[in-house]
Amino acid sequence: MKKNYWKIKHRDRALLGVLIALVLGLVYPAAAQNRTVSGQILDEEANEPIPGATILVKGTTNGTITDLDGNYSINVPGSEAVLVISFVGYKSVEQTVGDRSRIDVMLPMDITSLEEVVVVGYGTQRKKVVTAATVQVKGASLQKRNNTLPMQALQGQAAGVSIRSNSGQPGTGMKVQIRGVGTIGNSSPLYMVDGIATSDISYLNSADIETIDVLKDAASAAIYGSRAANGVVLITTKKGSKGKAQISFDSYYGVQNRYKKVDLLNARQYAQIMNEQFLNSGGSVSNLPFDINNLPNYTGKGPANTNWLDQMFVKNAPTQNYTLGVNGGSDQGVYSLSFSYTGQAGVVGGAKYSNYGRYNARINTENKLFNDKLKLGENMTLTYTNKNGISDGNQYNNSLRSAFNTSPLLPVYDQNGNFFNTNDSSIHDQNGNGYWNKTEANPYASMVYNNQNATNQQKLVGNVYGELTPVSGLKIRSSFGVNLYNDSYRSFLPEYELSVYAFSKYSKVTQSMNRSRTIQFDNYATYDFSLGEHQFSAMVGTSLYDYSREYVSGTNANIAFSGIDYAWLNNTTNKSLISLISVNGGPMDATGYTNGPSKLLSYFGRMQYNFREKYLLSATFRADGSSRFAQGHRWGYFPSVSAGWVISDEGFLKSASVIEFWKLRASWGQNGNQFIPAFQYTAPITFQYANYNFGNQEGANTPGAYPDRLSNPNVKWETSEQIDIGTDLQLYSGKFNVTLDYYKKSTIGWLITAPILGTAGANPPVINGGKVINSGLEWELGYKETFRDLSFSLSVNGNYNKNLVKDVPTADGIVHGLTNQLYANAPEFYRAQSGHPIGYFWGYQTNGIFQSTSDVKNYTNADGKVIQPNAEPGDVKYVDQNGDGVLDNKDKVQIGNPIPKVNLGFTISLGYKALDFSVMAYGAFGQQLVQAYRSQSGKYSNYTTAILDRWTGEGTSNAMPRVNNSSSNFINFSDLYIQNGNFLRIGNVTLGYDFSKLLKVKAIGQLRLYAAVNNLWTFTKYTGMDPDVGYGVSNGFANQFASGIDLGFYPNPRTMLMGLNVKF
Amino acid sequence: MKKIIRIAIVVLTIGSFSCKDYLDTPLTTNSVVENYYSTPGQAEVGLVGCYDGLQRIWDGGVAFPVASTVMADMTFGGTGAADPDNYKMMDEFDKNVAPAFMNMFEDNWKAYYAGIFRCNTLLMRMAEQDWTKDNARATEVQAEARFLRAYMYFDLVRMFGNIPLLTQPTKANIPQVNPDEVYKLITEDLLFAIENTSDTPYPGIAATDYGHANKWASEALLARVYLFYTGYYGASDLVGLVKSSDALGYLEDLITNSGHGLIDDYSSLWPAAATYEAAMRGDSISANTYAGETNKEIVFAIKYTYTSDYNGNADGNSWMVMNGLRNQSWGKYGYGNGWGACPVMPSVYVNWNANDIRRESSIMAIVEEGIDYQQINDVKEYTGYFTKKYTPTADKDGNSITVTDYGAVNFMIGQFQDYFSIRYADVLLMAAELGSANALNYVNMVRNRAGVTPVASVDKDVIFEERRLELAFEGHRYWDLLRYDNTLDYAVNKIAFSGRVMTAGAEVDKVIDAANIKLTRGLCQIPFNQITLSDGVLVQNAGW
């Protein structure tokens, strides 16, 4: 547990300097004589004794070590003698004895942090000798962010790890991409929590995390072989350490609010625009849809002017966290326990419709047996989550989006205080007409009716392990891990009517349960040995992974009692209406398809070598067999090599005092991806929903069968190959830190299910095809300074990534994006194609607005052919890229790239005595977003106020076209939809004060109160509510390459909070 | 080294529990295509899967009968006043009316090819087996599958003209073919079906077998194909395989031997017409005389039932809701509510002989029937007339029958009225048109049943007019217009329109431009998404 011991560490290095100077200042010449010097060696920061530290009289072999209390006693030849005090993980300190008889020394942590341990697959390594590109983030810096989810807290803290928001709804996982998007399928990394694989870590509380280590290059990740193509995130939960029990309590409570509004047209503006559309579409002034000065009044309280977005959002939605932890241990064993509650309400709809609550209990212990030859331990985290949420997916299933599209003329409530139903025949306006548009439905009521649901999730992730050390240097470890999950879901839908199309004639209840279990059995042995100055570490092992899942779900109608609390199938009374009863159940695989279990069998090994810790070499190999592939394609082999050279240890740099440490690294390796539903190698015959009603009796169906998916017997591993060249540099005694990496990652043989031609007649299978190259630079820069009581640190990290698709082997060299996404019947607008970034936006480039009819006539190609003969003044001008005078698919080009070119994060920390202050910011640059709030296929959809700048006559606008009923200017996907997505967000500002330093009560180690703001300010030109839009439409497991699409994105809130940290 | 050996031993011991079989996982939820269709029982089940494919061709998109009715000369597009103009676009053959709708027929395109894929798979897999001992039924299964394939290709080739032709399952990007090749396959399939499907006459068909394609359905469909192909393309025979006399021969065989015939009361063919007649008689609407879905006039139907849901069951008639009274039911006559597509042009009603029972059975006349219709402002292109043949039904309180009596999920997807694709009346009129010696008799059989006076002689125009009235709103009229003559002059003359209609309670201009009909040659828009997916291998039809 040395590792953890070291972690209590470095803040006030200057203090030590002062101390040393003080000690040195006391030195004056004394007579040379043999005498005894004694004292105590303490950890500078924790002020705790260091047992086992070495005290050596310089230039002699005379030495001793400290006892358990850090005390020592040594004979010295005289006052000129110099004591060298050293201990692994600390800087050595030299003291001239002088005439002192007692010398107490505070050892500073090795500020170069080269002795820190980083977690690599199946083991740990000292940072100094690491040859791969990894990044480590401490749990403490995650906790500081006060986020519900750990990955959200990691945003902007790890170079090369792009973390974008899928939705601001509480508990929604993040879109995490390491070193760019490498596949059109699932590009999420592999998460290993204490060695147990899991698909995401939303279930963890940040306070339970000791470190997050991200394996970025192929060489470090290759030890995880077939699941490591997208990188690996290793999470180590907090372990106990020897010493008295330390009790900690951390909490925060905050309120969240929408930080930016989007303005929609108000009632009057809306009516004006609708009238204008009508006139622009050939309508006559005599029957305008609306009389602006006499707007319909359905409630007797005047015409409605509903701001639907304001209606959807709530104010001061709470977010909170309470964590109680205990750590401690003895020589025999260590323990770490915690219990926590985390809660967050959503800003859309509030806690009733969008809420997340999570309880975590964690217990990690380790015991030593048989003279420390055997260690037995376990890590267990149990999570219980309650959650309910509004729909926030695609255009059809998005409560917020409907708020963008509903007219402000629709009142929220009718005269009787019920939700307004546009199809209620008793409702009339002042002229006796019924509601003017019976097809539009109250979006707030729709959210209320359709989102009464509750999900409970239980998850247990953990392992029990034994580690045997039969002889020195050899460790044999066996770990049996489980990942058990179950959830239950209930929903209630009342009888309601909101419009002619939005109604439910029956109340309905759905109840479903879902259960999965993963068993993971890892066995490996590590042997460290040296031959002279050649040090070796060898590791070999096997791993077995077995996942299975099953679900059952039922729906029935006519509930006896109304309300989600009563939403049990037993309370439904319908027996006769069989079409309303649905019962399903079956196995499922990790991709969410009804299939069988998935299994992996793996063999792996690693050899590490170094010579004097100066020349470093490492090689790994993994063989993975996966049940997802047919025999003959099952096994994948994943090698890697990496090397390092610590230049600063070379003689020629030893004297360069500026350079504390300098290492060069290079690596190469291959990883795989196998994340597809099972049985793609065959074409299943389905019996579900394949009936036909022969005969003369209704409902008496004859069962049938048909193949619903095509097969691909040759489907095999997707492979990612990567080279990495990097360097780690520390200057001025570690005040400056620089890490730079260049990488080039090629992913070949994507596992894809591209949309298939209708003529194929069935769903497409997964095929291998396509190549994408991500290349880029990553940097981490750090600077620390301490001056008296003031400490300052600055760290900047970031990356530049270039994403380029090559060689897509489909018939047309294109993986087509989905259609029907931006609005009903919308065309394809993103794709993956050679020569472009993955998921680039594909459409027409525009070139202003036609100002006059002569403008239309003069807009010709080189041959004089009028390009848009049907255009009218005010219509948008499209660029005829190929000059053939016709606008068609050949004129559509890349008009946007959703993938940020540069990600940046920086943190500034200031400490003064008991006061601490920090600012954390992150941003993404170089990407574009698609903003598509309006359902263009319906002419009565509302607009944002951006439409007020439209063209209304010659010279009025050259950017925003005229409006008309058919929305003809917005039907083609063009750069009118594209906006610059650059943003820089002040993600967190914290000001804290530790009152324990005032109280000086020994029992209280810390009593810190802090105030913080999350998402304080966002610098962006994007006009939507939130530029951090990771969301992309997707279609199952293998079509997830879209991103940056704002269809009415659930924005991340601004949070003001107060927190407390107490340690006893 | 000894240590390394020891490590190796430990690891190998631990690893040795694993064996090759560990990675074999069984598929427990499906059969697989490689070993299916290998027994007669499986082939039968597979054939039902093909019928399920047929049932789904109009589950999304725009149903062929609805599109055919909108595009023909008897109705407008209609739907809701606030709905998009996609039906208007179809009606006016003008893509600029609703440019957002570039993929109106994509669901249909995919569903037709999915159905064809199922037939092709069944046929291919069956061809690989030795069926000697089950020969008779095996051949019949294949013949039914070929009928279904022909049926679906015939719809596709009429709507889109230029389509890819697949006779084997394939993922390949296939270009469109000359329509003759499609007609050749259709013809061969139907000739095979005539030879090999059941020739049991109507009265002898087992109650549970209704709905299967048989010899009679194949003969009638082949005659329909013959008439359309030779008319639209101006050909003298059907791709060299079927002559006029052959087509007539099949129809005469059907008329003589099938046991099919006209039922006595035209109004009992249609549920809404039957309930209307019952109300007119002063009976309760539940005492209507609906003849049911297996009456002797039905030569072939696409069969629906009420068990559709949103989980994947698509057994219902999900397109019928488009027609009918928009957003209001009228329990007095048993009319359920629908979405108001296909409003009938007033001239059609006004010029229809009032003695013709078919008028009241085909058209719902708001004023004339005394319906208190409240939703005029909610309708696009309101005319005062809706169609009555394929329209949702209600009980006397105006509640949807399929919901109340059968427990369908809702009135939109739960309708179960079968689509009568081939009626005996159609067979008689086709035989007359092909020059049967009994032509006059055949036409007058149809007229007599309708309660109108017999004609003294028949010619093409008389027969076409009779078809217009007899088969109104059943999805045939449009194709009759297109096939009348190869120049399309007849069709253009009938379809083109200029006048005023009422939308959202206000009169607006409406034009169906003759030039658009000529330009498109009456073909529909190929879904642009499919063209994009094919990277331009598929070519759009002119005018779209």
Side-chain angles (χ1 to χ4, degrees), chain A residues 241-482:
Chain A
S241 55
K242 206 170 80 176
K244 74 174 183 61
Q246 185 180 61
I247 300 168
S248 61
F249 175 72
D250 301 296
S251 77
Y252 64 76
Y253 183 90
V255 292
Q256 312 162 88
N257 284 290
R258 167 170 60 145
Y259 77 94
K260 186 178 177 186
K261 289 187 175 186
V262 165
D263 290 323
L264 302 174
L265 298 184
N266 65 26
R268 198 180 166 83
Q269 292 164 333
Y270 176 81
Q272 272 165 346
I273 293 285
M274 290 301 127
N275 284 349
E276 187 176 321
Q277 274 189 182
F278 178 75
L279 294 175
N280 284 348
S281 309
S284 66
V285 184
S286 60
N287 32 19
L288 286 176
F290 295 104
D291 178 353
I292 301 286
N293 297 314
N294 189 22
L295 290 175
N297 169 5
Y298 300 101
T299 56
K301 296 172 195 154
N305 184 13
T306 311
N307 184 327
W308 287 108
L309 282 175
D310 284 356
Q311 183 67 33
M312 306 298 274
F313 282 91
V314 299
K315 291 196 169 115
N316 297 331
T319 178
Q320 55 199 310
N321 172 278
Y322 310 93
T323 307
L324 183 66
V326 187
N327 284 293
S330 64
D331 287 335
Q332 271 67 50
V334 295
Y335 60 88
S336 171
L337 293 86
S338 79
F339 182 77
S340 64
Y341 170 74
T342 310
Q344 188 186 355
V347 289
V348 181
K352 201 167 174 196
Y353 304 109
S354 172
N355 194 42
Y356 181 80
R358 185 184 63 215
Y359 298 87
N360 287 74
R362 176 179 55 82
I363 173 162
N364 293 348
T365 63
E366 186 173 85
N367 279 284
K368 293 177 185 168
L369 299 150
F370 308 120
N371 295 328
D372 299 354
K373 285 227 183 295
L374 180 64
K375 283 191 226 168
L376 293 177
E378 49 86 32
N379 303 299
M380 286 287 164
T381 300
L382 179 67
T383 303
Y384 178 79
T385 310
N386 276 316
K387 139 171 138 160
N388 55 308
I390 61 160
S391 31
D392 64 340
N394 59 33
Q395 53 156 338
Y396 298 113
N397 214 351
N398 187 331
S399 293
L400 208 47
R401 181 185 170 87
S402 39
F404 281 94
N405 284 292
T406 308
S407 80
L409 301 174
L410 174 61
V412 185
Y413 300 101
D414 64 19
Q415 227 157 354
N416 306 319
N418 300 318
F419 284 131
F420 197 94
N421 167 10
T422 60
N423 197 32
D424 181 341
S425 53
S426 71
I427 286 176
H428 295 99
D429 68 4
Q430 65 272 40
N431 304 319
N433 295 321
Y435 190 76
W436 71 281
N437 179 0
K438 289 180 161 55
T439 67
E440 83 174 345
N442 183 332
Y444 182 76
S446 181
M447 177 179 81
V448 168
Y449 288 143
N450 286 289
N451 292 290
Q452 303 191 26
N453 57 62
T455 308
N456 297 316
Q457 301 169 329
Q458 293 168 43
K459 184 159 171 141
L460 175 69
V461 179
N463 61 358
V464 290
Y465 62 88
E467 188 175 285
L468 185 67
T469 310
V471 292
S472 170
L474 175 65
K475 282 181 190 164
I476 300 164
R477 188 179 170 103
S478 181
S479 157
F480 183 81
V482 293

Side-chain angles (χ1 to χ4, degrees), chain A residues 608-905:
Chain A
Q608 289 165 326
Y609 160 81
N610 73 68
F611 177 67
R612 291 182 181 163
E613 298 196 345
K614 191 157 73 177
Y615 306 110
L616 320 162
L617 201 61
S618 175
T620 69
F621 182 78
R622 179 159 177 143
D624 269 350
S626 169
S627 63
R628 299 184 202 229
F629 303 113
Q631 276 191 12
H633 298 288
R634 239 167 221 176
W635 286 90
Y637 305 99
F638 307 98
S640 85
V641 289
S642 57
W645 177 26
V646 181
I647 310 177
S648 52
D649 281 2
E650 294 291 354
F652 58 84
L653 276 181
K654 281 252 165 168
S655 54
S657 60
V658 172
I659 299 175
E660 176 88 9
F661 177 78
W662 185 15
K663 178 168 70 180
L664 288 180
R665 295 178 275 106
S667 76
W668 169 91
Q670 287 185 336
N671 292 309
N673 179 10
Q674 50 119 36
F675 194 73
I676 55 167
F679 305 109
Q680 293 292 314
Y681 53 81
T682 184
I685 299 284
T686 182
F687 298 88
Q688 241 185 339
Y689 316 130
N691 307 319
Y692 196 74
N693 182 229
F694 290 109
N696 54 5
Q697 199 186 337
E698 293 298 342
N701 288 333
T702 309
Y706 66 95
D708 67 339
R709 177 173 52 70
L710 306 174
S711 73
N712 177 12
N714 297 319
V715 64
K716 61 174 199 285
W717 302 90
E718 173 178 312
T719 310
S720 117
E721 181 175 296
Q722 188 179 180
I723 55 163
D724 182 286
I725 297 166
T727 184
D728 303 303
L729 183 64
Q730 300 193 348
L731 304 173
Y732 297 108
S733 317
K735 275 185 189 170
F736 291 99
N737 276 293
V738 179
T739 296
L740 288 175
D741 275 279
Y742 164 81
Y743 61 86
K744 186 175 178 187
K745 179 167 86 167
S746 313
T747 312
I748 52 176
W750 299 336
L751 293 163
I752 59 180
T753 47
I756 198 168
L757 283 160
T759 49
N763 293 317
V766 173
I767 57 169
N768 292 96
K771 174 177 178 180
V772 63
I773 296 173
N774 282 284
S775 54
L777 272 179
E778 285 164 6
W779 56 88
E780 285 177 70
L781 311 172
Y783 172 69
K784 297 178 202 172
E785 188 60 86
T786 308
F787 184 71
R788 294 182 189 276
D789 289 334
L790 184 71
S791 64
F792 169 79
S793 78
L794 168 69
S795 68
V796 178
N797 74 73
N799 73 307
Y800 163 83
N801 184 71
K802 186 181 169 198
N803 182 288
L804 190 66
V805 173
K806 301 256 192 194
D807 316 328
V808 178
T810 55
D812 55 358
I814 297 164
V815 181
H816 295 272
L818 301 172
T819 56
N820 245 0
Q821 300 298 323
L822 299 180
Y823 52 89
N825 290 297
E828 178 183 341
F829 69 103
Y830 70 96
R831 37 173 58 182
Q833 185 180 11
S834 185
H836 299 274
I838 206 161
Y840 79 94
F841 298 131
W842 177 76
Y844 289 116
Q845 203 181 336
T846 64
N847 184 19
I849 306 286
F850 289 114
Q851 300 296 333
S852 62
T853 44
S854 63
D855 235 9
V856 174
K857 273 184 217 141
N858 294 335
Y859 189 55
T860 61
N861 72 349
D863 308 329
K865 185 170 180 190
V866 178
I867 296 166
Q868 290 172 253
N870 297 324
E872 288 180 34
D875 282 345
V876 72
K877 206 186 275 186
Y878 298 109
V879 177
D880 176 24
Q881 302 283 353
N882 64 359
D884 64 356
V886 178
L887 288 171
D888 57 18
N889 279 352
K890 295 184 210 92
D891 299 305
K892 294 186 185 173
V893 292
Q894 178 177 333
I895 54 175
N897 172 11
I899 306 173
K901 290 197 179 79
V902 173
N903 285 288
L904 266 190

Side-chain angles (χ1 to χ4, degrees), chain B residues 411-425:
Chain B
F411 73 96
M412 297 184 286
I413 62 170
Q415 300 295 337
F416 54 81
Q417 187 180 334
D418 288 356
Y419 174 62
F420 294 158
S421 176
I422 303 172
R423 283 200 291 122
Y424 188 71

Side-chain angles (χ1 to χ4, degrees), chain B residues 286-305:
Chain B
S286 58
N288 69 74
T289 56
Y290 177 48
E293 296 177 336
T294 52
N295 70 69
K296 70 174 176 181
E297 188 159 343
I298 309 311
V299 179
F300 186 70
I302 296 183
K303 296 190 64 64
Y304 295 113
T305 191

